[in-house]
Amino acid sequence: MTRLSAVAALSPPGPEGWDFSDYPYGLEPLIMPDPKEELLDDERHPDTTRACLLLLAQAEKGFGTTTPAVGREALEQLFWFRWMIGHHISFVLWRLIADALKRLPPDQGEGEADTEALIQYVRAYSGMLLYTGSCTPAIYRAIIRPSMFRLHSTFSGTWAPDFPPVRSLFRGRRVPPVQPARAPELVAQIELCHRIHLGVASKLVESGRSLLQQSVAEKAAQGHRMWEGIFDCYFLTQRAPVGADAVLAQLLRRNKAVVIDLATNGLYPEPLPEEELPTELRDADVLACEQDLAASLFRVSALAAGLAADPAADQALA
């Protein structure tokens, strides 16, 4: 793990102050296993569990703020940070969802923990769609979209290596064998996620189609692993054998940075006039998801650490 530690920060964050990257809104590479490979069978390091517990405790007090993003240049840096880090967290959430789906037993009466985890992971992913899509249409079209085009003229979200194992879930093809009493709750979270995705796409993309909603036919030539490599290269993601502890530590680092950003800048530093906001993003349950974003990140951190989702985290940065 020494070589990997030189590539990306694999230690958990401290409970206070900005300690992600070298400065506020800087970036760190993400190390993830190949989606077809299992996580290394390592033991949870006590420092990682302790860091998670400290973060949950600090959430009740608040993390404070950092340098606010003021002015066009600072906002461009902030939204680039959100685009990259929000995707990093999404990749981890997809992996956590895929692993939880594998663990679900055929008997729907079992699997209480994984049912709860799936619901919370899907909700947190909805929050990440809001977070990555929080930039203004002008900055998205001037900075973010062209950066993908420059890397590849047909750059597509369908190239995301971690998405195929969860595609069926998010497309509502079938409800996984979760506890029957909670299946409607999971379906509601998936439906909310879909509406948020549509709303963000309508807000940012002139054609109204997001990168992950483009034709699945583009994925037909999946022999093109080069596309997956290009996707990972763009999002500063390296594939290597890592264990659950390293993945959790990287998730904690990003979750804490996101929450400090939200405490400093709010979700929408430059809000659109209401009449320009897509109708999908005005729904009451979408607004509730916005309010729940920070707390949701702490719930998934706890669940990924094998802890109960701490109700106290719901008070995070309220």
Side-chain angles (χ1 to χ4, degrees):
M1 196 63 73
T2 304
R3 178 177 172 274
L4 294 180
S5 298
V7 174
L10 301 180
S11 59
E16 299 181 34
W18 182 281
D19 53 4
F20 185 84
S21 186
D22 295 328
Y23 46 82
Y25 319 127
L27 301 176
E28 293 181 1
L30 176 73
I31 297 180
M32 290 286 287
D34 186 286
K36 300 178 182 64
E37 300 292 333
E38 298 293 330
L39 291 169
L40 293 181
D41 187 17
D42 61 352
E43 294 184 5
R44 177 79 65 224
H45 195 285
D47 286 350
T48 309
T49 302
R50 180 173 178 272
C52 188
L53 290 169
L54 288 173
L55 288 172
L56 289 169
Q58 187 64 35
E60 297 184 58
K61 308 172 187 175
F63 283 93
T65 58
T66 187
T67 308
V70 180
R72 172 75 182 211
E73 185 175 348
L75 285 171
E76 287 178 358
Q77 182 180 7
L78 172 68
F79 289 132
W80 180 252
F81 166 83
R82 290 185 175 189
W83 183 250
M84 300 297 285
I85 299 308
H87 275 85
H88 282 184
I89 294 174
S90 297
F91 302 159
V92 175
L93 289 171
W94 291 343
R95 177 68 196 221
L96 292 172
I97 290 169
D99 289 349
L101 288 171
K102 289 179 188 175
R103 291 192 301 267
L104 283 174
D107 183 353
Q108 290 182 309
E110 303 295 332
E112 179 179 358
D114 288 314
T115 295
E116 171 66 16
L118 280 171
I119 292 168
Q120 296 301 335
Y121 294 154
V122 171
R123 185 166 183 80
Y125 176 51
S126 293
M128 283 302 98
L129 288 173
L130 291 167
Y131 185 73
T132 56
S134 60
C135 64
T136 63
I139 288 180
Y140 177 81
R141 294 165 190 169
I143 303 297
I144 295 174
R145 190 75 184 218
S147 71
M148 293 181 280
F149 181 84
R150 281 193 292 269
L151 196 61
H152 195 289
S153 62
T154 62
F155 192 97
S156 168
T158 62
W159 300 354
D162 299 289
F163 191 68
V166 300
R167 180 186 289 120
S168 179
L169 176 74
F170 284 108
R171 298 216 165 137
R173 290 173 180 162
R174 71 180 183 88
V175 180
V178 297
Q179 291 186 304
R182 303 202 68 188
E185 190 177 351
L186 176 60
V187 170
Q189 290 300 326
I190 293 170
E191 193 276 335
L192 172 64
C193 183
H194 182 64
R195 278 191 287 119
I196 289 174
H197 203 170
L198 289 174
V200 170
S202 178
K203 169 190 167 187
L204 297 180
V205 184
E206 289 179 293
S207 66
R209 298 171 68 210
S210 80
L211 293 174
L212 274 175
Q213 289 169 317
Q214 294 175 16
S215 173
V216 180
E218 294 178 27
K219 202 69 172 172
Q222 184 54 38
H224 288 265
R225 285 186 63 84
M226 177 187 72
W227 291 343
E228 295 182 348
I230 291 172
F231 191 91
D232 277 348
C233 179
Y234 175 83
F235 282 110
L236 298 179
T237 302
Q238 177 176 333
R239 301 290 165 171
V242 290
D245 193 78
V247 173
L248 173 59
Q250 294 177 94
L251 177 65
L252 290 173
R253 296 182 67 82
R254 285 155 179 79
N255 285 354
K256 179 190 171 187
V258 167
V259 170
I260 292 178
D261 164 27
L262 292 172
T264 303
N265 301 294
L267 182 58
Y268 298 110
E270 285 200 344
L272 287 178
E274 186 174 350
E275 62 272 14
E276 295 181 24
L277 196 65
T279 55
E280 296 93 338
L281 299 183
R282 301 181 205 168
D283 293 343
D285 52 356
V286 174
L287 298 178
C289 188
E290 292 179 3
Q291 294 297 318
D292 189 44
L293 202 162
S296 177
L297 291 176
F298 290 111
R299 290 198 297 272
V300 299
S301 296
L303 289 165
L307 307 168
D310 191 339
D314 287 336
Q315 305 303 317
L317 301 180

